[in-house]
Amino acid sequence: MYWSMIEIVPTHALFNLVAAEVACNKFECLRRETTCLKIQKYSRMYLASKAYNNLRFSAVSIQSGIRGMAACYELWFRKQTRAVIVIQVNSKSLYKKLVIVFFCSFSFFVLFILPSFFNLESDGVK
């Protein structure tokens, strides 16, 4: 009764059916493995790219800071050099004036202060 309804399938057809099922399962596993490898590859690439960009932006910011410091130092050095040049140009006339003032004050010191300190008589000064 129940057995009579089942067809008898030849063994080679049954083997082909099982082989096809195994092949489908194997293909599905390979497909999933390939998908996982692609996901891993792209995620590693993304993380490496992110780390590289972070390093690059850090290097650029450090370089710009150093360039800014160098520019400030260069500006300071130019200002100092300009000031020194102005002082050197004006120092010739200023030096002459200082020498005259120094000698005048020194002669005053010699003529008026030293004789009074040593109780020496000079030209009318007792």
Side-chain angles (χ1 to χ4, degrees):
M1 33 183 206
Y2 184 69
W3 290 98
S4 64
M5 295 170 67
I6 295 180
E7 255 183 65
I8 297 178
V9 179
T11 56
H12 67 291
L14 186 61
F15 179 75
N16 287 342
L17 188 63
V18 171
E21 187 67 30
V22 169
C24 283
N25 288 339
K26 189 172 183 179
F27 177 74
E28 183 68 24
C29 287
L30 288 175
R31 189 181 66 79
R32 286 185 182 195
E33 187 176 333
T34 305
T35 306
C36 289
L37 289 176
K38 283 183 183 180
I39 292 171
Q40 287 177 359
K41 180 176 80 170
Y42 285 119
S43 63
R44 286 182 184 145
M45 184 181 68
Y46 172 75
L47 292 175
S49 174
K50 189 175 177 182
Y52 173 74
N53 284 332
N54 191 10
L55 180 67
R56 188 169 59 95
F57 291 143
S58 299
V60 166
S61 64
I62 289 171
Q63 286 175 352
S64 66
I66 290 174
R67 284 190 188 122
M69 287 175 49
C72 283
Y73 177 75
E74 182 71 24
L75 179 65
W76 175 81
F77 184 74
R78 285 183 184 182
K79 285 182 178 181
Q80 291 291 326
T81 305
R82 188 177 304 141
V84 167
I85 290 171
V86 168
I87 289 171
Q88 287 175 351
V89 166
N90 295 330
S91 68
K92 293 179 182 178
S93 62
L94 184 65
Y95 179 71
K96 289 178 184 177
K97 290 177 186 176
L98 285 176
V99 167
I100 292 170
V101 169
F102 177 72
F103 281 129
C104 289
S105 64
F106 184 71
S107 64
F108 174 77
F109 181 74
V110 169
L111 292 177
F112 295 106
I113 297 174
L114 285 179
S116 65
F117 181 73
F118 291 108
N119 291 327
L120 299 173
E121 292 183 14
S122 63
D123 301 327
V125 177
K126 293 183 179 179

mmCIF file of all heavy atoms in Angstrom, residues 30-47:
data_model
loop_
_atom_site.group_PDB
_atom_site.id
_atom_site.type_symbol
_atom_site.label_atom_id
_atom_site.label_comp_id
_atom_site.label_asym_id
_atom_site.label_seq_id
_atom_site.Cartn_x
_atom_site.Cartn_y
_atom_site.Cartn_z
ATOM 1 N N LEU A 30 31.798 28.157 0.249
ATOM 2 C CA LEU A 30 32.835 28.930 -0.443
ATOM 3 C C LEU A 30 32.385 30.377 -0.675
ATOM 4 O O LEU A 30 33.165 31.324 -0.547
ATOM 5 C CB LEU A 30 33.193 28.268 -1.772
ATOM 6 C CG LEU A 30 33.991 26.967 -1.684
ATOM 7 C CD1 LEU A 30 34.176 26.359 -3.069
ATOM 8 C CD2 LEU A 30 35.340 27.223 -1.032
ATOM 9 N N ARG A 31 31.129 30.539 -1.030
ATOM 10 C CA ARG A 31 30.593 31.884 -1.257
ATOM 11 C C ARG A 31 30.626 32.710 0.031
ATOM 12 O O ARG A 31 31.037 33.872 0.033
ATOM 13 C CB ARG A 31 29.167 31.785 -1.783
ATOM 14 C CG ARG A 31 28.588 33.120 -2.266
ATOM 15 C CD ARG A 31 27.172 32.961 -2.763
ATOM 16 N NE ARG A 31 26.255 32.589 -1.690
ATOM 17 C CZ ARG A 31 25.753 33.439 -0.799
ATOM 18 N NH1 ARG A 31 26.082 34.713 -0.830
ATOM 19 N NH2 ARG A 31 24.925 33.022 0.131
ATOM 20 N N ARG A 32 30.235 32.104 1.137
ATOM 21 C CA ARG A 32 30.266 32.806 2.424
ATOM 22 C C ARG A 32 31.701 33.125 2.843
ATOM 23 O O ARG A 32 31.981 34.206 3.362
ATOM 24 C CB ARG A 32 29.584 31.960 3.498
ATOM 25 C CG ARG A 32 28.092 31.946 3.355
ATOM 26 C CD ARG A 32 27.449 31.221 4.482
ATOM 27 N NE ARG A 32 26.000 31.197 4.281
ATOM 28 C CZ ARG A 32 25.151 30.894 5.203
ATOM 29 N NH1 ARG A 32 25.566 30.549 6.407
ATOM 30 N NH2 ARG A 32 23.863 30.900 4.947
ATOM 31 N N GLU A 33 32.596 32.179 2.619
ATOM 32 C CA GLU A 33 33.994 32.404 2.970
ATOM 33 C C GLU A 33 34.579 33.532 2.133
ATOM 34 O O GLU A 33 35.300 34.404 2.655
ATOM 35 C CB GLU A 33 34.794 31.116 2.761
ATOM 36 C CG GLU A 33 36.215 31.208 3.257
ATOM 37 C CD GLU A 33 36.942 29.876 3.120
ATOM 38 O OE1 GLU A 33 36.290 28.825 3.135
ATOM 39 O OE2 GLU A 33 38.164 29.927 2.985
ATOM 40 N N THR A 34 34.265 33.554 0.853
ATOM 41 C CA THR A 34 34.745 34.625 -0.025
ATOM 42 C C THR A 34 34.185 35.969 0.419
ATOM 43 O O THR A 34 34.904 36.973 0.446
ATOM 44 C CB THR A 34 34.336 34.342 -1.484
ATOM 45 O OG1 THR A 34 34.818 33.052 -1.853
ATOM 46 C CG2 THR A 34 34.894 35.380 -2.419
ATOM 47 N N THR A 35 32.926 36.007 0.787
ATOM 48 C CA THR A 35 32.307 37.237 1.266
ATOM 49 C C THR A 35 32.968 37.709 2.550
ATOM 50 O O THR A 35 33.253 38.909 2.717
ATOM 51 C CB THR A 35 30.805 37.021 1.486
ATOM 52 O OG1 THR A 35 30.219 36.509 0.286
ATOM 53 C CG2 THR A 35 30.111 38.309 1.868
ATOM 54 N N CYS A 36 33.248 36.777 3.457
ATOM 55 C CA CYS A 36 33.927 37.138 4.710
ATOM 56 C C CYS A 36 35.318 37.690 4.432
ATOM 57 O O CYS A 36 35.744 38.673 5.061
ATOM 58 C CB CYS A 36 34.022 35.938 5.638
ATOM 59 S SG CYS A 36 32.446 35.450 6.348
ATOM 60 N N LEU A 37 36.043 37.069 3.503
ATOM 61 C CA LEU A 37 37.380 37.556 3.168
ATOM 62 C C LEU A 37 37.330 38.956 2.557
ATOM 63 O O LEU A 37 38.177 39.803 2.840
ATOM 64 C CB LEU A 37 38.075 36.589 2.209
ATOM 65 C CG LEU A 37 38.505 35.245 2.814
ATOM 66 C CD1 LEU A 37 39.080 34.342 1.743
ATOM 67 C CD2 LEU A 37 39.514 35.468 3.921
ATOM 68 N N LYS A 38 36.313 39.210 1.720
ATOM 69 C CA LYS A 38 36.167 40.546 1.144
ATOM 70 C C LYS A 38 35.872 41.580 2.226
ATOM 71 O O LYS A 38 36.430 42.675 2.234
ATOM 72 C CB LYS A 38 35.051 40.556 0.097
ATOM 73 C CG LYS A 38 35.444 39.947 -1.215
ATOM 74 C CD LYS A 38 34.313 40.056 -2.216
ATOM 75 C CE LYS A 38 34.689 39.374 -3.519
ATOM 76 N NZ LYS A 38 33.601 39.458 -4.505
ATOM 77 N N ILE A 39 34.986 41.210 3.151
ATOM 78 C CA ILE A 39 34.661 42.131 4.245
ATOM 79 C C ILE A 39 35.903 42.418 5.084
ATOM 80 O O ILE A 39 36.184 43.568 5.438
ATOM 81 C CB ILE A 39 33.513 41.567 5.101
ATOM 82 C CG1 ILE A 39 32.204 41.559 4.308
ATOM 83 C CG2 ILE A 39 33.348 42.370 6.392
ATOM 84 C CD1 ILE A 39 31.080 40.827 4.986
ATOM 85 N N GLN A 40 36.675 41.374 5.402
ATOM 86 C CA GLN A 40 37.905 41.564 6.171
ATOM 87 C C GLN A 40 38.898 42.439 5.422
ATOM 88 O O GLN A 40 39.531 43.327 6.002
ATOM 89 C CB GLN A 40 38.539 40.205 6.487
ATOM 90 C CG GLN A 40 37.817 39.414 7.529
ATOM 91 C CD GLN A 40 38.445 38.046 7.744
ATOM 92 O OE1 GLN A 40 39.424 37.698 7.081
ATOM 93 N NE2 GLN A 40 37.878 37.277 8.663
ATOM 94 N N LYS A 41 39.041 42.203 4.135
ATOM 95 C CA LYS A 41 39.984 42.970 3.331
ATOM 96 C C LYS A 41 39.612 44.451 3.322
ATOM 97 O O LYS A 41 40.463 45.317 3.561
ATOM 98 C CB LYS A 41 40.013 42.425 1.902
ATOM 99 C CG LYS A 41 40.983 43.172 0.985
ATOM 100 C CD LYS A 41 41.049 42.553 -0.394
ATOM 101 C CE LYS A 41 39.852 43.011 -1.193
ATOM 102 N NZ LYS A 41 39.952 42.650 -2.619
ATOM 103 N N TYR A 42 38.338 44.745 3.081
ATOM 104 C CA TYR A 42 37.921 46.137 3.016
ATOM 105 C C TYR A 42 37.965 46.810 4.380
ATOM 106 O O TYR A 42 38.290 47.994 4.489
ATOM 107 C CB TYR A 42 36.530 46.255 2.397
ATOM 108 C CG TYR A 42 36.555 46.051 0.904
ATOM 109 C CD1 TYR A 42 35.841 45.016 0.322
ATOM 110 C CD2 TYR A 42 37.302 46.875 0.075
ATOM 111 C CE1 TYR A 42 35.864 44.808 -1.041
ATOM 112 C CE2 TYR A 42 37.332 46.683 -1.290
ATOM 113 C CZ TYR A 42 36.609 45.651 -1.849
ATOM 114 O OH TYR A 42 36.647 45.449 -3.201
ATOM 115 N N SER A 43 37.651 46.057 5.440
ATOM 116 C CA SER A 43 37.713 46.657 6.776
ATOM 117 C C SER A 43 39.161 46.946 7.169
ATOM 118 O O SER A 43 39.453 48.006 7.736
ATOM 119 C CB SER A 43 37.032 45.769 7.807
ATOM 120 O OG SER A 43 37.702 44.540 7.919
ATOM 121 N N ARG A 44 40.080 46.023 6.851
ATOM 122 C CA ARG A 44 41.499 46.279 7.134
ATOM 123 C C ARG A 44 42.018 47.450 6.306
ATOM 124 O O ARG A 44 42.808 48.274 6.790
ATOM 125 C CB ARG A 44 42.323 45.030 6.846
ATOM 126 C CG ARG A 44 42.147 43.955 7.882
ATOM 127 C CD ARG A 44 43.013 42.755 7.582
ATOM 128 N NE ARG A 44 42.740 41.700 8.539
ATOM 129 C CZ ARG A 44 42.767 40.411 8.254
ATOM 130 N NH1 ARG A 44 43.042 40.017 7.021
ATOM 131 N NH2 ARG A 44 42.519 39.519 9.176
ATOM 132 N N MET A 45 41.594 47.527 5.054
ATOM 133 C CA MET A 45 42.001 48.628 4.193
ATOM 134 C C MET A 45 41.486 49.954 4.752
ATOM 135 O O MET A 45 42.219 50.952 4.783
ATOM 136 C CB MET A 45 41.482 48.421 2.772
ATOM 137 C CG MET A 45 41.944 49.486 1.793
ATOM 138 S SD MET A 45 41.308 49.239 0.147
ATOM 139 C CE MET A 45 39.581 49.564 0.409
ATOM 140 N N TYR A 46 40.250 49.971 5.231
ATOM 141 C CA TYR A 46 39.674 51.186 5.799
ATOM 142 C C TYR A 46 40.441 51.616 7.051
ATOM 143 O O TYR A 46 40.769 52.797 7.219
ATOM 144 C CB TYR A 46 38.199 50.966 6.134
ATOM 145 C CG TYR A 46 37.587 52.095 6.898
ATOM 146 C CD1 TYR A 46 37.268 53.295 6.276
ATOM 147 C CD2 TYR A 46 37.338 51.971 8.265
ATOM 148 C CE1 TYR A 46 36.720 54.341 6.986
ATOM 149 C CE2 TYR A 46 36.792 53.010 8.979
ATOM 150 C CZ TYR A 46 36.481 54.196 8.334
ATOM 151 O OH TYR A 46 35.941 55.224 9.053
ATOM 152 N N LEU A 47 40.739 50.664 7.931
ATOM 153 C CA LEU A 47 41.464 50.998 9.158
ATOM 154 C C LEU A 47 42.880 51.491 8.848
ATOM 155 O O LEU A 47 43.370 52.443 9.463
ATOM 156 C CB LEU A 47 41.498 49.796 10.097
ATOM 157 C CG LEU A 47 40.147 49.394 10.705
ATOM 158 C CD1 LEU A 47 40.291 48.112 11.518
ATOM 159 C CD2 LEU A 47 39.584 50.510 11.557
#
